[in-house]
Amino acid sequence: MNGQRRVKYTRPTTRNEDSGAVCGAWAPRAGSVTDSPSALVLLGRDDEEWSKAITLREYNFDSDTISDIIYSISPEDGLPLRLAVHPSGDGVICFFANSCKFFEINPKGACKLKASERELPLLQGLGIQNCICFSGDGSLLATGGKDGHLRIFAWPSCEIALDESQSHRSIQDIDFSLDSGYLASTGEEGACRVWNIVELESLVRLEREKDEKFGYCRFSRDGTQAFLFVSITRGKRGYVGVWNMMDWSKLGLKKLADASISALAISRDGKSLGLGTIEGDVAVVLVRRMEVTQLIGSAHSLSVTGLEFSKHGRSLLSLGADSSARVSRLKKFEWKEWQLYAMLLGMIAFSGLLFLLFFQSSLSDDFWQFPMGREQPARPPREAIWGHPGSLDESYGL
Amino acid sequence: MAQLEVLSALDKAKTQWYHFTAIIIAGMGFFTDAYDLFSIPIVTRLLGRIYYYDPLTGKPGSLPANVNAAVNGVALCGTLAGQLFFGWLGDKLGRKKVYGMTLMMMVVSALASGLSFGHTAASVMTTLCFFRFWLGFGIGGDYPLSATIMSEYANTRTRGAFIAAVFAMQGTGILCAGAVGCIVSAIYNHAVPAPPFNVDPVASVPNSADFVWRAILMFGAVPAAATYYYRMKMPETARFTALVAGNAKQAAQDMSSVLQMEVQAIQTRTEKRIEYGLFSAEFFRRHGAHLLGTTSCWFLLDVAFYSQNLFQKDVYTAVGWLPSSSSMSAVQEVFKISRAQSLIALCSTVPGYWVTVFLIDRIGRFKIQLQGFFFMTVFMLGLTIPYDHLKKHNSTGFLVMYALTFFFANFGPNSTTFIVPAELFPARFRSTCHGISAAAGKAGAIIGSFGFLYAAQSPHQAEVEAGYSKGIGIKNALLILAATNACGFFCTFLVPETNQLSLEELSGENDENAQSA
C-alpha cells in the first residue's frame, strides 16, 4: 500500500527488550502527576527460577529508556498468563492457569505490587482465559475463555452480569466500547460478535466474506466517531475493517500489513491504532487517514501476541510469541521541508485573498475614508511627470 | 563527554575578519527594519497630502487616525507573525536556509510596497498595506535568525559585542532612512519645484509626488539585496550542524574554512542524547523562568520604547525644526521631517547602541539591563511629573529628558533583550525561543505605539483629536509607562547573566550530554 511504502523502516535495537515475557501492561508510576515523564511496565514472566514471575520496570518517555527490574513478586499460583490493569491505575488483575489474583499497584506510594486481601471467589477456577479486559470506566470486567466461555463481571463486586458459554469456539479477543454499552468478541473460528451489555444479549454477528477471517477487535475511543475496528485476514494479508456502530454496517476496509494481524491496540485518545503481525512486525496507524505512519520491522522474531499504548500514547508496549517484550517510542509528527514551504506560500496566498476580499467589499471605502470617493486617481498620467510643474490636471479632481 | 571540539574552537577563536563580515551580513535585517520603521512616518505625511486632501477643510490632507494606525501597524503585526514563524522554522530547517528566505522576502516586498495594483487611491493603500505586512514578516524572521546566527558564530569573549553590533545596525538604518528621505525629496524639489500649501493648495502637491514615497520605500530593498549573495555563501552555523542535525564532521569542515584553521571533527557524542521537547516539564523546569524573563522584559521595554511616537509632535515643536505643514509644499515637508527625525534619532537613540557594544562584555548584560530600566523609569518620571511645565517653559529640559530616556533604552534593555534570548536556550530551540521573546516584544510595540496613542487622548471630549475617542490623558499614560519600566526592572531578575560563558554551558546542553554518556 502507498502509506506503507513511504514509511521509514526502523531497524530494531536491543534496547528496551525483555525476554521471558508472557503478558504485560502499562501501570502508572507511584506519585506520578498527569504529564509524568515515566511509567511502569508490568510484565508477567516465565522465569526459570520462579522468583521473578511478575516484574516492574520503569520506562522514561523522554529518553526512551527502560530501567532494570525495580520490583518483582512471585505468587504461588505459578505462571501468570494474562494481566489487566484497572483503568484507575490502582491495581492489576492477574489470571493464572486456573486461578486469579488482584494486586495493588504502588501501595502506600512505593513502586511495588502487593497481593490484595480480596479473594475474588467467583473468578477462581475458570480455566485458561485468552483475554481479559476492563471497561473504560472500570465498572466491568470481561473474560474470554479458551473454551469459548464469555463472562462479564461487575467490578469490584465480581457479581456475574453475563455468562455465555457458547459464544465462540474459543475466544480470541474482546473489547468494551467507550461508553461500556457494547462488547465485541472474536473467536478462533473467525467470527466477530457484538453484545449489548445493557440488555445483556447478543446483538449482532458481523457479516464476513467467505475468504475472510476476523482476528481482533477494538472500539474507537474518540467519542465523536462511533466505530468498531476489526482486523481481517484475507489471503494471508492483514486488513482492518471499520464498522459503524449505529447500524453495524461495514464502512470499509484497508490493507495495512503484508501478513496476518495478530494483535490490535488503540490509543486512549483514539487517534492511533497499533497492529502486530504474525511475522513480528509492529505498525502504528493514524486512524484519521488509516495509513501506517510508523513501522517497526521485526520487533519480535515470532508473531506479536500483545500490544498496548501507554496512557498518553507516546510509546507502545509489544509482546511476542518468542517471549520477548519491548517498548517502542512513537514517532512524533515531523514537518517535511516542502510542507513548510507550501505552508508559507499558502499563507501568502491566503492573506492576498483576504486583502482582495477586503478591497472589493464596501468595508474598504468606510475604512479608508477617502475624501473624494473610490475613483480618485492615484497615478498621474505620464505626461504630468515631465509637464509644467505648477499646472493643474483635471484628473486630480480639482 | 565535555564538549565538541569544533564548538570550543569557535568559543576560543580570536576575533577575525569573518566576524565583521558576519555582523554586516546579519545586520542587514535590522538595517531594513529600522529603515522601514523610520521611513514610514515620512511617507504617511506625504500619503495624507496626496490622497487625503479635502478642499473643504482648507488644511493639507492628513491620514485619518485609523488609516495612520493601519499603515504604521500592519508591518508590526507582520513582524510579530514572522518572528514566531521563522523562529520556529530556523530550528527545523537550519538557520542558513531560512536566512535566505527572510532576506528574499524583505527585498521582494520592499520593492513591491512601492508599486501598486491598480490606479485608484484605495488600491494604492491596500497594496501598500499588503506588502508592508509581508515586509514586516520577513523582518520578523530576521530577528531570531540573525541573533542566533551571530551568537552561534561568535567567540565567548566578545559574543555580546558582536550581537549588539548586529543590533546597532538599526541605528545605521535610522540614519539611512533620514538621509534617503532628504536626498530623494531634495532632488525632487529641485526637479519639480512646488509652491507652499498656503500659496496654492493644489500645486503644492505635484502630480508626480507619489514617486517620492515610492522611491523612499523601494530603496529599502537595495542594501538587503546587496547582501543576499554573501548570505548564501555563509555556511550553516556549527552549532546547528553539530547539535541539532548531529553532523559534527560537517560542522568542523565548515568552521575550518571560516576560521582558517584546522578543526578536528571528533564525534564524541553518545549514541542517544536525552532530549526534552519545548512543551515538556523538563523545559519548563530548566528554562521556564528564563523564557518568562526574556519575554516579559522585551514586552515591557517595547511598550515604553515604541511610545516615543507620543512625544514626537512635542519634540518637533520643542526643537522648532518643523514649520507648520501649511507653509510647505508636500515634498518640502518630507525633507524637513526626514531631517528632523534623523537628527533627533542621532542624538537620542543611536549613541546608546554603540555604548552597549563597547561595554557589554565588560560589565555584563544583567547590569546593563538593570541600570537601563532604572534610568528609563527615572527619566520617564522626570518627563511626566513636570510635563506641562516642561512643555511650555523649558523645552531644552524636555528634550534632554527625552533624549536620556531613549539613550538608556538603547544602552540598556533594548540591546540586552535582543542578545540574551540568543544565548540562554539549547540549540535545538534557540531560534524558536528567541522568536517567542521577540514576538512578545513586538506585541508590546503594538501596544506602545497605538494603545498609548489612543490612551493618551484627553479625557475631555473637547480636546480629543479628530478620529480618536476619549482617553486617560497624556500624563496618566506617561505614568503607566514609568510603571512598565519599573516592572521591567524587576523582571530582569528572572534572567541570568550570560557574560563570558559558552552557549552550551548556559543552555545546559553539556550536562544533558554528560547524563547520557
Side-chain angles (χ1 to χ4, degrees):
Chain A
M1 295 252 66
N2 268 350
Q4 231 162 317
R5 242 179 262 128
R6 258 185 273 127
V7 170
K8 213 168 95 190
Y9 205 77
T10 38
R11 290 296 311 163
T13 61
T14 49
R15 295 184 322 130
N16 297 346
E17 281 197 4
D18 195 0
S19 58
V22 177
C23 52
W26 291 99
R29 199 182 169 280
S32 67
V33 282
T34 38
D35 189 20
S36 177
S38 66
L40 297 178
V41 175
L42 222 151
L43 290 177
R45 299 171 73 241
D46 184 8
D47 195 75
E48 288 157 7
E49 300 145 31
W50 296 98
S51 63
K52 291 172 179 169
I54 305 178
T55 61
L56 282 183
R57 299 169 130 213
E58 187 176 352
Y59 173 78
N60 186 302
F61 291 108
D62 288 331
S63 62
D64 188 24
T65 50
I66 197 160
S67 72
D68 289 334
I69 293 171
I70 53 174
Y71 182 78
S72 64
I73 189 170
S74 194
E76 61 271 21
D77 307 70
L79 182 66
L81 293 176
R82 291 290 175 261
L83 288 172
V85 173
H86 190 263
S88 68
D90 56 9
V92 56
I93 192 159
C94 182
F95 276 80
F96 302 89
N98 206 22
S99 62
C100 169
K101 257 205 173 97
F102 190 73
F103 297 91
E104 288 172 39
I105 301 173
N106 306 324
K108 296 184 188 118
C111 279
K112 56 186 221 175
L113 295 172
K114 183 176 157 243
S116 166
E117 282 145 23
R118 302 220 335 258
E119 288 290 311
L120 314 173
L122 290 166
L123 294 177
Q124 307 301 332
L126 301 181
I128 291 177
Q129 298 300 311
N130 278 347
C131 41
I132 52 176
C133 173
F134 279 107
S135 65
D137 58 3
S139 66
L140 296 169
L141 168 73
T143 62
K146 198 178 177 192
D147 53 1
H149 203 136
L150 175 71
R151 296 178 180 89
I152 301 178
F153 301 91
W155 189 264
S157 66
C158 285
E159 283 162 19
I160 195 142
L162 179 85
D163 191 342
E164 190 73 41
S165 57
Q166 298 295 315
S167 63
H168 295 277
R169 204 184 308 151
S170 174
I171 298 176
Q172 188 152 310
D173 195 20
I174 47 178
D175 191 39
F176 281 103
S177 68
L178 182 65
D179 60 355
S180 312
Y182 301 103
L183 179 101
S185 64
T186 55
E188 248 152 48
E189 76 280 9
C192 178
R193 298 179 70 174
V194 182
W195 310 79
N196 184 329
I197 301 173
V198 184
E199 309 283 335
L200 295 170
E201 59 180 20
S202 168
L203 187 72
V204 69
R205 197 181 277 267
L206 296 187
E207 280 181 29
R208 62 176 163 136
E209 311 282 324
K210 267 207 191 98
D211 57 342
E212 286 181 349
K213 238 185 123 189
F214 293 144
Y216 297 83
C217 53
R218 285 290 178 273
F219 283 98
S220 62
R221 297 289 193 268
D222 174 352
T224 58
Q225 295 172 318
F227 296 145
L228 170 64
F229 301 98
V230 183
S231 75
I232 302 169
T233 303
R234 185 199 265 181
K236 294 191 178 161
R237 310 224 175 244
Y239 291 76
V240 170
V242 185
W243 274 262
N244 187 341
M245 284 168 66
M246 295 298 150
D247 51 5
W248 305 104
S249 61
K250 192 172 178 180
L251 292 172
L253 86 168
K254 183 157 184 195
K255 198 200 93 176
L256 291 169
D258 287 328
S260 273
I261 291 169
S262 60
L264 191 66
I266 189 159
S267 65
R268 269 196 201 197
D269 59 7
K271 286 180 183 157
S272 320
L273 276 178
L275 6 136
T277 69
I278 54 165
E279 289 179 352
D281 297 343
V282 170
V284 180
V285 174
L286 197 63
V287 169
R288 191 162 49 84
R289 295 206 307 252
M290 281 309 265
E291 253 175 35
V292 175
T293 53
Q294 189 178 356
L295 183 66
I296 303 146
S298 309
H300 302 275
S301 56
L302 294 173
S303 139
V304 179
T305 56
L307 276 178
E308 193 183 320
F309 282 97
S310 67
K311 192 174 173 191
H312 296 287
R314 292 175 70 185
S315 295
L316 185 62
L317 170 69
S318 57
L319 297 150
D322 55 353
S323 303
S324 64
R326 59 179 279 157
V327 180
S328 321
R329 176 148 69 170
L330 265 56
K331 262 195 312 196
K332 276 192 252 158
F333 175 73
E334 287 277 345
W335 288 89
K336 293 188 187 69
E337 205 171 314
W338 68 267
Q339 287 172 326
L340 294 167
Y341 289 120
M343 186 157 92
L344 186 61
L345 287 178
M347 276 156 56
I348 294 175
F350 180 69
S351 71
L353 193 71
L354 284 184
F355 270 87
L356 186 68
L357 284 177
F358 171 75
F359 175 68
Q360 286 177 337
S361 75
S362 58
L363 279 176
S364 170
D365 286 337
D366 296 344
F367 181 79
W368 298 119
Q369 304 166 39
F370 290 110
M372 278 174 256
R374 196 181 177 87
E375 290 311 314
Q376 186 190 24
R379 205 176 64 85
R382 202 176 157 72
E383 56 272 22
I385 306 164
W386 311 109
H388 181 65
S391 75
L392 292 185
D393 195 311
E394 282 161 41
S395 69
Y396 229 74
L398 283 167
Chain B
M1 62 161 277
Q3 199 177 6
L4 289 172
E5 200 198 331
V6 54
L7 301 189
S8 44
L10 270 172
D11 283 338
K12 293 189 194 101
K14 287 207 182 71
T15 307
Q16 301 183 8
W17 182 242
Y18 93 90
H19 284 126
F20 293 101
T21 47
I23 289 173
I24 305 285
I25 299 167
M28 262 319 137
F30 287 93
F31 178 92
T32 317
D33 178 31
Y35 183 90
D36 177 60
L37 191 72
F38 276 79
S39 60
I40 202 69
I42 305 171
V43 168
T44 47
R45 293 277 185 120
L46 187 58
L47 288 175
R49 288 183 73 148
I50 299 177
Y51 304 113
Y52 281 89
Y53 172 58
D54 188 349
L56 302 175
T57 57
K59 278 192 240 161
S62 68
L63 298 185
N66 61 330
V67 176
N68 193 26
V71 174
N72 279 293
V74 75
L76 291 180
C77 297
T79 309
L80 194 156
Q83 282 161 339
L84 291 173
F85 181 76
F86 284 121
W88 170 73
L89 216 58
D91 286 331
K92 288 267 168 264
L93 294 182
R95 318 340 183 175
K96 188 199 151 172
K97 253 185 205 153
V98 182
Y99 217 27
M101 277 161 73
T102 59
L103 195 73
M104 217 51 230
M105 196 162 220
M106 281 192 277
V107 171
V108 171
S109 38
L111 286 176
S113 64
L115 307 171
S116 310
F117 293 124
H119 59 89
T120 59
S123 65
V124 171
M125 297 299 275
T126 315
T127 322
L128 178 65
C129 286
F130 176 74
F131 285 111
R132 283 189 57 79
F133 176 85
W134 287 103
L135 174 63
F137 200 84
I139 289 172
D142 241 56
Y143 268 80
L145 287 164
S146 46
T148 311
I149 286 183
M150 211 54 224
S151 73
E152 293 185 342
Y153 261 106
N155 57 35
T156 308
R157 203 168 46 79
T158 54
R159 189 178 60 227
F162 285 139
I163 311 177
V166 168
F167 194 58
M169 287 294 283
Q170 268 193 338
T172 323
I174 295 173
L175 296 181
C176 189
V180 170
C182 287
I183 293 169
V184 170
S185 54
I187 294 174
Y188 184 86
N189 277 331
H190 185 74
V192 190
F197 180 84
N198 50 19
V199 174
D200 184 345
V202 177
S204 75
V205 186
N207 276 336
S208 50
D210 67 324
F211 284 90
V212 172
W213 69 259
R214 291 175 198 274
I216 292 175
L217 287 187
M218 287 166 94
F219 181 80
V222 174
T227 50
Y228 185 75
Y229 172 73
Y230 298 98
R231 268 201 191 185
M232 289 294 87
K233 261 181 55 177
M234 242 179 165
E236 181 59 82
T237 71
R239 287 187 161 88
F240 183 86
T241 320
L243 296 176
V244 185
N247 191 346
K249 206 170 162 194
Q250 179 69 39
Q253 223 171 47
D254 288 345
M255 288 309 109
S256 301
S257 64
V258 288
L259 290 169
Q260 287 161 359
M261 59 181 266
E262 203 51 43
V263 182
Q264 288 299 313
I266 305 172
Q267 187 99 32
T268 37
R269 277 229 325 241
T270 46
E271 47 129 359
K272 183 80 193 164
R273 294 195 304 138
I274 298 176
E275 285 196 350
Y276 52 89
L278 183 60
F279 296 105
S280 64
E282 181 72 6
F283 178 82
F284 185 78
R285 192 176 65 76
R286 282 175 188 252
H287 296 294
H290 298 165
L291 191 60
L292 181 69
T294 55
T295 48
S296 59
C297 287
W298 205 332
F299 176 82
L300 293 166
L301 174 264
D302 271 12
V303 170
F305 190 74
Y306 281 78
S307 65
Q308 60 176 304
N309 295 354
L310 271 185
F311 306 105
Q312 226 146 34
K313 253 176 285 161
D314 299 333
V315 173
Y316 290 151
T317 356
V319 181
W321 279 331
L322 213 57
S324 82
S325 53
S326 304
S327 62
M328 292 180 285
S329 77
V331 181
Q332 270 172 339
E333 191 178 10
V334 170
F335 180 80
K336 291 271 165 64
I337 295 178
S338 325
R339 194 184 61 179
Q341 203 170 256
S342 38
L343 282 173
I344 291 167
L346 188 62
C347 304
S348 69
T349 47
V350 175
Y353 290 115
W354 294 103
V355 176
T356 314
V357 174
F358 290 120
L359 291 181
I360 190 151
D361 288 313
R362 304 211 170 100
I363 57 180
R365 290 81 163 135
F366 180 75
K367 281 184 195 156
I368 289 185
Q369 185 163 324
L370 211 57
Q371 62 84 27
F373 269 125
F374 177 75
F375 285 111
M376 281 173 76
T377 317
V378 169
F379 290 114
M380 199 62 97
L381 284 174
L383 208 55
T384 316
I385 297 166
Y387 182 75
D388 295 316
H389 170 80
L390 283 178
K391 222 173 113 178
K392 286 200 190 88
H393 308 292
N394 193 348
S395 56
T396 327
F398 179 81
L399 283 178
V400 169
M401 286 290 185
Y402 174 87
L404 281 173
T405 311
F406 289 102
F407 171 78
F408 279 106
N410 279 341
F411 173 51
N414 200 21
S415 303
T416 53
T417 51
F418 175 73
I419 296 167
V420 175
E423 301 182 322
L424 273 179
F425 303 101
R428 64 182 177 280
F429 20 73
R430 185 171 288 137
S431 94
T432 310
C433 288
H434 193 280
I436 293 172
S437 312
K442 272 292 172 271
I446 293 167
I447 294 177
S449 20
F450 305 111
F452 276 87
L453 213 55
Y454 283 87
Q457 294 301 321
S458 164
H460 309 293
Q461 190 66 51
E463 295 164 25
V464 172
E465 287 173 55
Y468 291 96
S469 48
K470 276 193 285 187
I472 52 172
I474 189 147
K475 223 167 151 172
N476 288 336
L478 288 180
L479 273 178
I480 294 178
L481 287 180
T484 58
N485 288 336
C487 289
F489 179 84
F490 293 109
C491 287
T492 302
F493 288 97
L494 288 169
V495 184
E497 178 59 80
T498 55
N499 199 9
Q500 306 300 333
L501 292 168
S502 91
L503 293 181
E504 283 67 37
E505 285 171 82
L506 282 165
S507 62
E509 276 160 307
N510 281 349
D511 19 299
E512 263 179 57
N513 294 340
Q515 273 176 18
S516 63

